[in-house]
Amino acid sequence: MALMPKRVKHRKSQRGRIKGNATRGNTVVFGDYGIQSLDAGWIKATTIEAGRIAAQQYVRGEGKLYIRIFPDKSVTSTPLETRMGKGKGEPDFWAAVVKPGTILYELSGVTEQQAKVCFARLASKMPVKVRFVARRTA
């Protein structure tokens, strides 16, 4: 099974609106390089997992991969050919809500060129536009 929370406070959440930029989780903290979201959107748990597999296949134990997002929003859908009413559908998939500026993945223990190639593979799987960022040195 893909990533999902063990327990949630409310079974079915409302859609909500994604507005503003990320004020938390917008700097590279754990690794040396990262990819940062430029758009707002939802990233499915299966997409996060696909990105993890693609990155780890490229890195092959050389570096360490950090995933900075977690799918904690349940997205529901009513079955097809169901009439109006009868309540809200069952949870269909789990998604991570991403704002512009959120760091999605980080890498450490690899060269900058290796990180760029790895994140280029990851960027093709993401439903939002991303860019390569390096850790700031103080």
Side-chain angles (χ1 to χ4, degrees), residues 24-69:
R24 285 177 247 158
N26 59 359
T27 55
V28 179
V29 177
F30 300 105
D32 301 320
Y33 308 102
I35 54 171
Q36 186 177 40
S37 166
L38 296 175
D39 294 336
W42 293 345
I43 301 180
K44 288 185 178 184
T46 52
T47 307
I48 297 169
E49 184 69 10
R52 181 192 68 81
I53 291 168
Q56 289 197 330
Q57 282 178 348
Y58 180 77
V59 171
R60 291 270 183 220
E62 264 182 54
K64 180 136 175 66
L65 178 73
Y66 299 93
I67 303 173
R68 295 283 306 272
I69 52 176

Coordinates of all heavy atoms in Angstrom, one line a residue, residues 24-69:
R24 N 6.8 27.5 5.6 CA 7.6 26.4 6.3 C 7.9 25.3 5.2 O 7.2 25.1 4.3 CB 6.7 25.8 7.3 CG 6.5 26.7 8.5 CD 5.6 26.1 9.5 NE 4.4 26.9 9.6 CZ 3.3 26.5 10.0 NH1 3.1 25.3 10.4 NH2 2.3 27.4 10.1
G25 N 9.1 24.7 5.5 CA 9.5 23.6 4.5 C 10.0 24.2 3.2 O 9.8 23.5 2.2
N26 N 10.5 25.4 3.2 CA 10.9 26.0 1.9 C 12.4 26.2 1.8 O 12.9 26.8 0.9 CB 10.2 27.3 1.7 CG 10.4 28.3 2.8 OD1 11.1 28.0 3.7 ND2 9.9 29.5 2.6
T27 N 13.2 25.5 2.7 CA 14.6 25.6 2.6 C 15.2 24.2 2.7 O 14.6 23.3 3.3 CB 15.3 26.4 3.7 OG1 14.8 25.9 5.0 CG2 14.9 27.9 3.6
V28 N 16.4 24.0 2.0 CA 17.0 22.7 2.1 C 17.7 22.5 3.5 O 18.5 23.4 3.8 CB 18.1 22.6 1.0 CG1 18.8 21.2 1.0 CG2 17.4 22.8 -0.4
V29 N 17.3 21.5 4.2 CA 17.7 21.4 5.6 C 18.5 20.1 5.8 O 19.6 20.1 6.4 CB 16.5 21.4 6.6 CG1 16.9 21.2 8.0 CG2 15.7 22.7 6.4
F30 N 18.0 19.0 5.3 CA 18.6 17.7 5.6 C 19.7 17.3 4.7 O 20.7 16.7 5.0 CB 17.6 16.6 5.6 CG 16.5 16.8 6.6 CD1 15.2 17.3 6.2 CD2 16.7 16.7 8.0 CE1 14.2 17.5 7.2 CE2 15.7 16.9 8.9 CZ 14.5 17.3 8.5
G31 N 19.6 17.6 3.4 CA 20.5 17.2 2.4 C 21.4 18.4 1.9 O 21.3 19.5 2.5
D32 N 22.1 18.2 0.7 CA 22.8 19.3 0.1 C 22.1 19.9 -1.0 O 22.3 21.1 -1.4 CB 24.2 18.7 -0.4 CG 25.0 18.1 0.8 OD1 25.0 18.7 1.9 OD2 25.6 17.0 0.6
Y33 N 21.3 19.1 -1.7 CA 20.5 19.6 -2.9 C 19.1 19.2 -2.8 O 18.8 18.2 -2.1 CB 21.1 19.0 -4.2 CG 22.6 19.2 -4.3 CD1 23.5 18.2 -4.0 CD2 23.1 20.5 -4.6 CE1 24.8 18.4 -4.1 CE2 24.5 20.7 -4.7 CZ 25.3 19.6 -4.5 OH 26.7 19.8 -4.5
G34 N 18.2 19.9 -3.4 CA 16.8 19.6 -3.3 C 16.0 20.0 -4.6 O 16.6 20.7 -5.4
I35 N 14.7 19.6 -4.7 CA 13.9 20.2 -5.7 C 12.7 20.9 -5.0 O 12.2 20.4 -4.0 CB 13.3 19.1 -6.7 CG1 12.7 17.9 -6.1 CG2 14.4 18.7 -7.7 CD1 12.0 17.0 -7.1
Q36 N 12.4 22.1 -5.5 CA 11.5 23.0 -5.0 C 10.3 23.2 -5.9 O 10.5 23.3 -7.1 CB 12.1 24.3 -4.7 CG 11.3 25.3 -3.9 CD 12.1 26.6 -3.6 OE1 12.8 27.1 -4.5 NE2 11.9 27.1 -2.4
S37 N 9.1 23.1 -5.4 CA 7.9 23.3 -6.2 C 7.7 24.8 -6.6 O 8.0 25.7 -5.8 CB 6.7 22.9 -5.4 OG 5.5 23.3 -6.0
L38 N 7.3 25.0 -7.8 CA 7.1 26.3 -8.3 C 5.6 26.6 -8.5 O 5.2 27.7 -8.6 CB 7.8 26.5 -9.7 CG 9.3 26.5 -9.7 CD1 9.8 26.6 -11.1 CD2 9.9 27.6 -8.8
D39 N 4.8 25.5 -8.4 CA 3.3 25.6 -8.5 C 2.7 25.1 -7.3 O 3.3 24.4 -6.5 CB 2.8 24.8 -9.8 CG 3.3 25.4 -11.1 OD1 3.6 26.6 -11.1 OD2 3.3 24.6 -12.0
A40 N 1.4 25.4 -7.2 CA 0.6 24.8 -6.1 C -0.2 23.6 -6.7 O -0.5 23.5 -7.8 CB -0.4 25.8 -5.6
G41 N -0.4 22.6 -5.8 CA -1.2 21.4 -6.3 C -1.2 20.3 -5.3 O -0.6 20.4 -4.2
W42 N -1.8 19.2 -5.7 CA -1.8 18.0 -4.9 C -0.8 17.0 -5.5 O -0.8 16.8 -6.8 CB -3.2 17.4 -4.8 CG -4.2 18.1 -4.1 CD1 -4.0 19.2 -3.3 CD2 -5.6 17.9 -4.2 NE1 -5.2 19.6 -2.8 CE2 -6.2 18.9 -3.3 CE3 -6.4 17.1 -4.9 CZ2 -7.6 19.0 -3.2 CZ3 -7.8 17.1 -4.7 CH2 -8.4 18.1 -3.9
I43 N -0.1 16.3 -4.7 CA 0.8 15.2 -5.2 C 0.3 13.9 -4.6 O 0.3 13.8 -3.4 CB 2.3 15.5 -4.9 CG1 2.7 16.8 -5.6 CG2 3.1 14.3 -5.4 CD1 4.2 17.2 -5.3
K44 N -0.1 13.0 -5.4 CA -0.6 11.7 -4.9 C 0.5 10.9 -4.2 O 1.6 11.1 -4.5 CB -1.2 10.9 -6.1 CG -2.5 11.4 -6.7 CD -2.9 10.4 -7.7 CE -4.2 10.7 -8.4 NZ -4.7 9.7 -9.3
A45 N 0.0 10.0 -3.3 CA 1.0 9.2 -2.6 C 1.7 8.2 -3.6 O 2.9 8.0 -3.4 CB 0.2 8.3 -1.6
T46 N 1.0 7.8 -4.6 CA 1.6 6.9 -5.6 C 2.7 7.6 -6.4 O 3.7 7.1 -6.7 CB 0.6 6.3 -6.5 OG1 -0.2 7.4 -7.1 CG2 -0.3 5.3 -5.8
T47 N 2.5 8.9 -6.6 CA 3.5 9.7 -7.3 C 4.7 10.0 -6.5 O 5.9 9.9 -7.0 CB 2.9 11.1 -7.8 OG1 1.7 10.9 -8.5 CG2 3.8 11.9 -8.6
I48 N 4.5 10.2 -5.2 CA 5.6 10.4 -4.2 C 6.5 9.1 -4.2 O 7.7 9.1 -4.2 CB 5.1 10.7 -2.8 CG1 4.4 12.1 -2.9 CG2 6.3 10.8 -1.8 CD1 3.7 12.4 -1.6
E49 N 5.8 8.0 -4.2 CA 6.5 6.7 -4.1 C 7.2 6.4 -5.4 O 8.3 5.9 -5.4 CB 5.4 5.6 -3.9 CG 6.0 4.2 -3.7 CD 6.8 4.0 -2.5 OE1 6.8 4.9 -1.6 OE2 7.5 3.0 -2.4
A50 N 6.6 6.8 -6.6 CA 7.3 6.6 -7.9 C 8.6 7.4 -7.9 O 9.6 7.0 -8.5 CB 6.3 6.9 -9.0
G51 N 8.5 8.6 -7.4 CA 9.7 9.5 -7.3 C 10.8 8.9 -6.5 O 12.0 9.0 -6.8
R52 N 10.4 8.3 -5.3 CA 11.3 7.7 -4.4 C 12.1 6.6 -5.1 O 13.3 6.4 -5.1 CB 10.7 7.2 -3.2 CG 11.6 6.6 -2.2 CD 10.9 5.8 -1.1 NE 10.2 4.6 -1.6 CZ 10.8 3.5 -1.8 NH1 12.1 3.3 -1.6 NH2 10.1 2.4 -2.2
I53 N 11.3 5.7 -5.8 CA 11.9 4.6 -6.5 C 12.9 5.0 -7.6 O 14.0 4.5 -7.7 CB 10.8 3.7 -7.1 CG1 10.1 3.0 -5.9 CG2 11.4 2.6 -8.0 CD1 8.8 2.3 -6.3
A54 N 12.4 6.0 -8.4 CA 13.3 6.5 -9.5 C 14.6 7.1 -8.9 O 15.7 6.9 -9.5 CB 12.5 7.6 -10.3
A55 N 14.5 7.9 -7.8 CA 15.7 8.5 -7.3 C 16.6 7.4 -6.7 O 17.8 7.5 -6.9 CB 15.3 9.5 -6.2
Q56 N 16.1 6.5 -6.0 CA 16.9 5.4 -5.3 C 17.6 4.5 -6.3 O 18.6 4.0 -6.1 CB 16.1 4.7 -4.3 CG 15.9 5.6 -3.1 CD 15.5 4.8 -1.8 OE1 14.9 3.7 -1.9 NE2 15.8 5.4 -0.7
Q57 N 16.9 4.3 -7.5 CA 17.5 3.5 -8.5 C 18.7 4.2 -9.1 O 19.7 3.5 -9.5 CB 16.5 3.1 -9.6 CG 15.5 2.0 -9.2 CD 14.5 1.7 -10.3 OE1 14.3 2.5 -11.2 NE2 13.8 0.6 -10.1
Y58 N 18.6 5.5 -9.2 CA 19.7 6.3 -9.8 C 20.9 6.4 -8.8 O 22.0 6.2 -9.1 CB 19.3 7.7 -10.2 CG 20.4 8.5 -10.8 CD1 20.9 8.2 -12.1 CD2 21.1 9.4 -10.0 CE1 21.9 8.9 -12.6 CE2 22.1 10.1 -10.5 CZ 22.6 9.9 -11.8 OH 23.6 10.5 -12.3
V59 N 20.5 6.7 -7.5 CA 21.6 6.9 -6.5 C 22.3 5.6 -6.2 O 23.5 5.6 -6.0 CB 21.0 7.6 -5.3 CG1 21.9 7.6 -4.1 CG2 20.5 9.0 -5.6
R60 N 21.6 4.5 -6.1 CA 22.1 3.2 -5.8 C 23.0 3.1 -4.6 O 24.1 2.6 -4.6 CB 23.0 2.7 -7.0 CG 22.2 2.4 -8.2 CD 21.8 0.9 -8.2 NE 21.1 0.6 -9.5 CZ 20.1 -0.2 -9.6 NH1 19.5 -0.7 -8.5 NH2 19.5 -0.4 -10.7
G61 N 22.5 3.6 -3.5 CA 23.2 3.5 -2.2 C 24.3 4.5 -2.0 O 25.0 4.5 -0.9
E62 N 24.6 5.3 -3.0 CA 25.7 6.3 -2.8 C 25.3 7.4 -1.8 O 26.0 7.7 -0.9 CB 26.1 6.9 -4.2 CG 27.2 6.3 -4.9 CD 27.5 7.0 -6.2 OE1 27.7 8.2 -6.1 OE2 27.6 6.3 -7.2
G63 N 24.2 8.0 -2.1 CA 23.8 9.1 -1.3 C 22.5 8.8 -0.5 O 22.1 7.6 -0.5
K64 N 22.0 9.8 0.2 CA 20.8 9.6 1.1 C 19.7 10.5 0.5 O 19.9 11.6 0.2 CB 21.1 9.9 2.5 CG 19.9 9.8 3.4 CD 20.3 9.1 4.7 CE 19.1 9.0 5.7 NZ 18.0 8.1 5.2
L65 N 18.5 9.9 0.4 CA 17.4 10.6 -0.2 C 16.4 10.9 1.0 O 16.1 10.1 1.8 CB 16.6 9.8 -1.2 CG 15.4 10.4 -1.8 CD1 15.7 11.5 -2.8 CD2 14.5 9.3 -2.5
Y66 N 16.0 12.2 1.0 CA 15.0 12.6 2.1 C 13.7 13.1 1.3 O 13.8 13.8 0.4 CB 15.6 13.8 2.9 CG 16.8 13.5 3.6 CD1 18.1 13.8 3.0 CD2 16.8 13.0 4.9 CE1 19.2 13.5 3.7 CE2 18.0 12.7 5.6 CZ 19.2 13.0 5.0 OH 20.3 12.7 5.7
I67 N 12.6 12.5 1.8 CA 11.3 13.0 1.3 C 10.7 13.9 2.3 O 10.5 13.6 3.4 CB 10.4 11.7 1.0 CG1 11.0 10.7 0.1 CG2 9.0 12.2 0.5 CD1 10.3 9.4 0.0
R68 N 10.4 15.1 1.8 CA 10.0 16.2 2.7 C 8.5 16.4 2.7 O 8.0 17.2 3.4 CB 10.6 17.5 2.3 CG 12.1 17.6 2.5 CD 12.6 17.8 3.9 NE 12.0 18.9 4.5 CZ 12.4 20.1 4.5 NH1 13.6 20.4 3.9 NH2 11.8 21.1 5.1
I69 N 7.7 15.7 1.9 CA 6.3 15.8 1.9 C 5.6 14.5 2.3 O 6.2 13.4 2.1 CB 5.8 16.3 0.5 CG1 6.3 15.3 -0.6 CG2 6.1 17.7 0.2 CD1 5.8 15.6 -2.0

